[in-house]
Amino acid sequence: MTTLGAVFRPQLPPERLRDVARAADDAGLEELWLWEDCFLESGIASASAALAWTERLHVGVGLLPVPLRNVALTAMEAATLHRLFPDRVLLGVGHGVQKWMAQVGAQAESPMTLLREHLIALRALLRGERVTTDGRYVKLDDVALDWPPAAAPAVFAGAVGPRSLRLSGEAADGTILVAGTPPDEVRRARRLIDEGRAASGRTDHHRVTAYLHAAIGADGAVRLAAELERWGDASTADVGAAGDADTIAEAVQRLADAGADTVVLQPTADEPDPEGFVRFVADKVRPLVP
């Protein structure tokens, strides 16, 4: 079955998160995803609050930019969340937006090397291993978590280009694709991910999460068109849907048929009713998606 989620956009002030998370939980939405975009809101702080305010909702952060984070800190925060809220946490890491990383003096000369080293060390720490490594960026000397998760959790990677997608297949447990990825590109991403998995001998399931631009309400089509223009996706077909539940569910299904295990509906930055949006996804779209 395709998992369905929605995004809480960080363009909303943090104090709006409580009502949106509770609305999602009450409606039975499966997943609520958060972003750690510079210079808006913390992914970990927001996730911990959303998890504490809800009972069943799965909360994802897609994604944590690794140039900003020592891998030991990422592991400590991830382990704490997984122990506090077992089976409800979804965390992804990635390169981050290079312009933002440069703004804070954290831009890596080789983002690929950094992401690879971070993923390898992070997954080992979350498995409860003691890690010593002297990489180009990640350096750990006899580091182990005192409170690792009871079971090793999945670690997701955000990926766009071919090299990142292959790396995600090799070194991560799942991949997060950016909004604006049409079905044909989801299929291509799956092939590249599988190349990385084959190269590393992995046979476990690799979960692919795809974002879909979505807008509801009488002005949804107008808002969606403006949003796609802002994202540079206006000329790309099949990357957004506006209108009724049937229209949006059909777009979700096209991504699922292309290989997405999870489709996360991304509202426009000016969505006037975030609580209504998550309820719509759970109440109206979910029943139409197998």
Side-chain angles (χ1 to χ4, degrees):
M1 184 179 77
T2 305
T3 301
L4 203 59
V7 181
F8 175 87
R9 295 283 297 262
Q11 284 77 16
L12 293 168
E15 56 268 26
R16 291 294 302 275
L17 177 58
R18 180 176 181 173
D19 287 344
V20 175
R22 286 188 165 179
D25 199 41
D26 291 343
L29 185 69
E30 292 147 282
E31 296 180 0
L32 184 69
W33 282 79
L34 311 170
W35 299 345
E36 189 166 82
D37 278 4
C38 297
F39 300 96
L40 295 166
E41 294 162 14
S42 160
I44 295 295
S46 298
S48 61
L51 287 159
W53 287 326
T54 56
E55 297 294 333
R56 300 172 301 278
L57 184 68
H58 291 74
V59 176
V61 181
L63 46 79
L64 302 169
V66 297
L68 284 177
R69 296 178 158 275
N70 184 286
V71 70
L73 177 61
T74 306
M76 291 162 59
E77 291 181 323
T80 300
L81 284 181
H82 281 289
R83 290 186 70 108
L84 287 172
F85 308 101
D87 302 320
R88 293 179 56 207
V89 183
L90 305 158
L91 296 180
V93 298
H95 300 304
V97 176
Q98 295 306 296
K99 177 183 176 182
W100 294 338
M101 300 302 101
Q103 278 184 272
V104 299
Q107 188 173 24
E109 185 177 351
S110 176
M112 286 289 297
T113 301
L114 170 56
L115 183 57
R116 177 185 295 277
E117 293 179 357
H118 196 103
L119 280 167
I120 292 171
L122 177 60
R123 292 178 69 236
L125 289 168
L126 292 175
R127 289 193 298 265
E129 297 177 13
R130 185 169 297 277
V131 181
T132 295
T133 184
D134 185 20
R136 180 174 178 180
Y137 298 103
V138 175
K139 300 179 185 295
L140 299 173
D141 182 10
D142 196 33
V143 174
L145 298 174
D146 283 1
W147 296 105
V155 174
F156 300 87
V160 177
R163 293 176 63 209
S164 294
L165 288 164
R166 292 189 185 98
L167 172 60
S168 184
E170 175 187 345
D173 303 300
T175 299
I176 302 169
L177 303 177
V178 68
T181 305
D184 284 347
E185 287 299 309
V186 174
R187 292 185 182 91
R188 175 175 172 270
R190 267 286 186 196
R191 290 195 295 270
L192 292 165
I193 291 165
D194 287 344
E195 288 177 11
R197 284 162 46 79
S200 60
R202 297 190 65 168
T203 58
D204 52 327
H205 179 69
H206 187 100
R207 172 175 160 176
V208 172
T209 298
Y211 286 89
L212 175 69
H213 294 289
I216 62 174
D219 64 344
V222 173
R223 288 190 291 106
L224 178 64
E227 183 82 1
L228 294 178
E229 189 68 38
R230 285 192 293 269
W231 280 71
D233 292 331
S235 61
T236 305
D238 222 6
V239 297
D244 60 16
D246 287 315
T247 300
I248 294 174
E250 289 169 3
V252 169
Q253 191 59 53
R254 288 191 289 272
L255 290 173
D257 291 343
D261 299 290
T262 299
V263 178
V264 181
L265 299 183
Q266 178 177 311
T268 61
D270 58 353
E271 165 59 52
D273 183 9
E275 294 86 356
F277 184 87
V278 298
R279 292 190 192 101
F280 180 88
V281 176
D283 294 340
K284 304 298 184 182
V285 182
R286 170 73 276 175
L288 301 176
V289 177

